[in-house]
């Protein structure tokens, strides 16, 4: 896996339709709601996703995976399993929301080795499966701490009114500062700007196309662009279905069973 910097984003996105944010809602409250509405964190829904990465030189790589999520013990548990191409089939990632502002806990199952390994905090800046998303993105929105976020006004993205949240990333994140643009009606993350540790623009995440799925709003297409390397990764939602997995499915033991 090559190192990049970077979400998953954010990265990535299907959301429950929820009421507009209340006046007393804090930036941390909005960020928490937004985390549950990315394509890798879909509560009670299984999404089939395609990741298409394109290098600055135009080289393309496509991967297909399924993703679902559930709250277990009050913490968001997300499961992503790759199916294509053959070289990555069976690779599975379990992400467990951190408690008390701590970074997410990430476990990676490698079928060729038949073992589960933890992704260390020092590895959160590494590219996730050779894409422009990295492991920090899998925990939500890039590793920033909720308590560091502040409301910085509102604007429009995709002609929708959004909250603008800004904050410093945590010490284990590859980012310096993160700016989130969260839809005020649905809490879908529509855009995110990331700077590196030196304050230089690093990446931009954008929802490119929205649609509805039953009672949800879906960002069915989104792009993560690396401004420093010239590469980008497009995430597309291919299929969605309601599913309710048991708590046991979101454990390392279940990863080992495949």
């Amino acid at each position: 896996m090559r190192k990049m910097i970077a979400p998953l984003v954010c990265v990535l996105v299907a959301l429950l339709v929820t009421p507009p944010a209340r006046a007393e809602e804090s930036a941390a409250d909005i960020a928490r709601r937004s985390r549950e509405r990315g394509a890798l964190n879909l509560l009670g829904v299984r999404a089939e996703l395609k990741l298409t990465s394109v290098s600055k030189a135009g080289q393309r790589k496509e991967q297909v995976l399924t993703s679902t999520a559930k709250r277990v013990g009050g913490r968001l548990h997300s499961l992503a399993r790759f199916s294509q191409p053959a070289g990555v089939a069976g690779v599975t990632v379990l992400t467990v929301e951190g408690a008390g502002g701590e970074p997410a806990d990430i476990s990676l199952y490698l079928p060729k080795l038949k073992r589960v390994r933890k992704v260390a905090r020092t590895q959160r800046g590494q590219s996730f499966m050779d894409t422009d998303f990295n492991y920090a993105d899998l925990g939500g929105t890039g590793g920033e701490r909720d308590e560091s976020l502040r409301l910085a006004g509102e604007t429009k993205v995709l002609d929708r009114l959004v909250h603008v949240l800004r904050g410093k990333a945590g010490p284990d994140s590859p980012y310096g500062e993160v700016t989130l643009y969260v839809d005020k009606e649905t809490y879908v993350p529509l855009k995110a700007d990331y700077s590196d540790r030196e304050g230089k623009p690093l990446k931009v995440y954008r929802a490119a196309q929205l649609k509805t799925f039953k009672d949800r709003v879906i960002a069915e297409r989104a792009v993560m662009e690396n401004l420093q390397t010239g590469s980008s990764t497009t995430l597309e939602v291919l299929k969605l279905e309601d599913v309710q997995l048991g708590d046991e499915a979101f454990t390392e033991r279940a990863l080992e069973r495949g």
Side-chain angles (χ1 to χ4, degrees), residues 1-255:
M1 300 181 185
R2 62 191 173 89
K3 289 188 178 181
M4 303 189 68
I5 0 194
L8 275 128
V9 163
C10 317
V11 75
L12 289 124
V13 275
L15 309 299
L16 294 170
V17 174
T18 53
R22 300 185 302 274
E24 67 270 19
E25 218 169 16
S26 68
D29 292 332
I30 296 167
R32 280 192 290 269
R33 291 188 180 221
S34 177
R35 266 200 301 277
E36 297 179 355
R37 288 153 173 79
L40 293 175
N41 300 307
L42 300 181
L43 291 171
V45 172
R46 179 187 286 121
E48 184 178 36
L49 311 170
K50 181 168 75 170
L51 295 171
T52 304
S53 300
V54 183
S55 70
K56 184 177 181 180
Q59 297 173 312
R60 295 172 61 88
K61 179 177 182 177
E62 293 186 355
Q63 300 177 88
V64 177
L65 66 150
T66 57
S67 174
T68 190
K70 184 177 184 178
R71 281 211 168 270
V72 180
R75 297 163 69 186
L76 186 64
H77 289 55
S78 304
L79 195 63
R81 179 173 283 112
F82 284 78
S83 58
Q84 297 179 34
V88 299
V91 172
T92 308
V93 183
L94 173 65
T95 305
V96 179
E97 183 179 40
E102 289 298 308
D105 184 57
I106 303 174
S107 301
L108 179 67
Y109 174 67
L110 302 169
K112 291 182 180 179
L113 300 178
K114 296 184 179 180
R115 61 186 288 266
V116 174
R117 72 169 180 87
K118 293 286 189 182
V119 177
R121 292 184 179 184
T122 55
Q123 297 174 312
R124 300 301 167 92
Q126 290 185 8
S127 167
F128 172 65
M129 300 297 288
D130 291 329
T131 71
D132 290 281
F133 294 98
N134 62 28
Y135 287 101
D137 299 326
L138 301 182
T141 45
E144 78 288 347
R145 295 182 181 274
D146 289 346
E147 63 269 22
S148 80
L149 291 169
R150 64 187 187 279
L151 283 166
E154 59 183 45
T155 186
K156 281 192 172 183
V157 177
L158 292 179
D159 205 31
R160 299 177 68 93
L161 198 61
V162 299
H163 292 288
V164 181
L165 311 178
R166 186 169 291 122
K168 296 291 184 181
D172 302 310
S173 172
Y175 306 121
E177 187 173 75
V178 180
T179 303
L180 308 176
Y181 302 81
V182 180
D183 185 17
K184 295 186 72 172
E185 180 182 357
T186 67
Y187 293 90
V188 179
L190 297 182
K191 184 184 176 186
D193 294 323
Y194 304 93
S195 69
D196 63 18
R197 285 291 182 180
E198 296 179 351
K200 299 175 183 177
L202 176 57
K203 296 197 307 183
V204 178
Y205 167 84
R206 295 185 181 90
Q209 187 173 335
L210 303 178
K211 75 174 222 177
T212 58
F213 172 71
K214 298 184 178 181
D215 61 345
R216 306 180 186 227
V217 172
I218 312 284
E220 70 171 339
R221 185 170 176 272
V223 180
M224 180 70 89
E225 180 183 4
N226 191 309
L227 304 175
Q228 296 185 2
T229 67
S231 59
S232 65
T233 296
T234 299
L235 182 145
E236 299 174 81
V237 177
L238 303 178
K239 184 168 64 176
L240 292 163
E241 59 181 339
D242 291 320
V243 66
Q244 289 292 341
L245 299 179
D247 293 357
E248 171 64 20
F250 297 89
T251 64
E252 289 188 7
R253 184 182 304 172
L255 293 186

